[in-house]
Amino acid sequence: VFTPSCAFSSCHSGTNPQAGLDLTASSYSRIVGVAAMGESDETLVVAGDPEASYLLKKLEARDIQVGDTMPPGGQTLSEERIALVRSWIAAGAPND
């Protein structure tokens, strides 16, 4: 979900990703159980708890403390892609 939607050169990959958030395939340890970088005091992905996961809040445009809905520019991810992220988090955010 993240690679085609978020992890490209102008956003969440490379040497200087937006908001310090790398969403490339090797980003697991940098998003699960980790606080949002400088943007919020919330945890990006709370394994097993989609409602508490700030990354999902940003994708769903709900309860956002700082910044914009992701992706920016008014074009949100499809409901199917967001449902995949929600399901992954609810399943304990396995590293697969």
Side-chain angles (χ1 to χ4, degrees):
V1 170
F2 300 127
T3 299
S5 303
C6 313
F8 39 88
S9 63
S10 64
C11 289
H12 296 291
S13 71
T15 58
N16 190 23
Q18 294 291 318
L21 180 59
D22 181 349
L23 291 175
T24 58
S26 62
S27 67
Y28 183 84
S29 65
R30 293 184 296 271
I31 63 171
V32 177
V34 177
M37 298 265 311
E39 184 173 289
S40 167
D41 60 355
E42 295 189 65
T43 302
L44 287 169
V45 174
V46 180
D49 192 351
E51 298 306 314
S53 298
Y54 193 60
L55 180 64
L56 189 60
K57 290 179 182 182
K58 293 286 274 189
L59 295 176
E60 293 180 334
R62 68 178 166 82
D63 302 327
I64 298 173
Q65 291 182 3
V66 178
D68 299 318
T69 301
M70 288 294 126
Q75 184 161 351
T76 60
L77 293 182
S78 69
E79 289 182 26
E80 293 82 16
R81 285 185 184 247
I82 293 173
L84 285 172
V85 174
R86 176 177 283 284
S87 294
W88 171 70
I89 294 171
N95 188 5
D96 55 4

